Amino acid sequence: MSTAQFVQEGASIDYTPAADVADGQVVVQGDLVGVANRAIPAGAPGSLAVEGVFDFPKATDVAYSFGTILFWDPTAGIVTLTGGSNKQAGKVVRAAATTDPTVRVRLASQAKPGTLLYANTAASAAIANTAAETPFDKSATIPADSLKAGDVLRIRALVFVTSTSGSPAFTIRLKAGSTAIAVDTFIAGAIAPIMPIYVDATVVFRAVGVGGQYVAIGTMTSWPDGFFTAATALDRQGEKFFRYGSCFVNAVCEFLIIRNRKICVIACCCEAFDRSR
C-alpha cells in the first residue's frame, strides 16, 4: 500500500532559486504565493513562508477593507483586486486607507477546502405584500476572477414564511448575479406559519471567464422530516457538548464538540449512547 511520509508542519517550504531572491520578496510557484524569509543567493537552499501575516505593497489610489481577498500582481509588484493570471495572496486583516503604501494580508496559500466565504450574522429585512421580484438584503460577493475551473460552492439558506393569510403562491430564487441557480414556487396555505423553506445547493464551476459554465444540484423544500432550527444565546466559555436525541438504533449521527473555541465534528453510532437523553 502506498503511504505518505510526514515531512514538516508546512508554514514554510524549501526553495532553491535560479536567481538571487531578496529578503521579503514575493515568489509565485504555480498557484502558490510565498514570501522569502531572508535573502537567498541563486542556487542556494532557502525557504519561503506560505503561512503568516505580511504587509504587502499596494497602489496608493485604492482602499481595502478587512476580509477583502487580494491577488499578487508580479508585474506591478503590488496586491490588487484583479485575479485572472494573478494568484491569490490572501485576505486583508487590517483595513488600509487610500494613502497607505501597504496593506496587511494573511497568506491564503494554505487555505483548506471548505473555507467559509460568507455567513450572515442577522436575518434579512422582511419582504411583504409585493408581486414584484424583490431581493433579500443579504448577499455575498465573490471577487472578480477569483474562481477557477473545478471550484465548488456550497450554499445553504433558510426562508421563513411568517404569515399564510390568503394562501398566496410565492417563488424563491437562488441567484448568481442575474442568473437563477435554483427556482421553486410554494403555496403558503400548505405551509404552517413560521416554518422555513430550506435551500441547499452545490455549484461546480466547469469553466470561468466570459464563457463561464457551472452545474448545480441541491434541494429547495419546506420543512423536511427531521429538520430543526434554533436561535439562542450560548456561553462560549468552557466546554459545551451537543448531541442529537431520540436516535434510532444503528443510525449514524454527528456529535459536535466545542472546546477552547475550536470546533471538531466526529461521527459515531447512536446505539453506543443512552438514547433516552
Side-chain angles (χ1 to χ4, degrees), residues 14 41 74 245:
D14 297 334

Side-chain angles (χ1 to χ4, degrees), residues 67-170:
T68 301
I69 297 175
L70 296 178
F71 302 83
W72 177 251
D73 182 343
T75 302
I78 58 174
V79 286
T80 174
L81 291 172
T82 304
S85 61
N86 298 329
K87 305 305 179 183
Q88 184 176 329
K91 293 182 179 180
V92 176
V93 294
R94 188 175 69 182
T98 303
T99 55
D100 291 333
T102 63
V103 57
R104 188 153 295 176
V105 173
R106 181 181 184 273
L107 288 178
S109 300
Q110 296 299 304
K112 298 176 176 60
T115 299
L116 181 65
L117 297 179
Y118 171 82
N120 59 309
T121 56
S124 68
I127 296 174
N129 301 324
T130 178
E133 180 177 315
T134 306
F136 291 104
D137 59 359
K138 300 294 182 182
S139 63
T141 300
I142 299 176
D145 301 319
S146 62
L147 293 172
K148 60 181 182 295
D151 280 351
V152 179
L153 294 182
R154 176 79 180 276
I155 305 165
R156 284 178 287 185
L158 286 176
V159 179
F160 283 88
V161 180
T162 58
S163 175
T164 59
S165 177
S167 300
F170 61 95

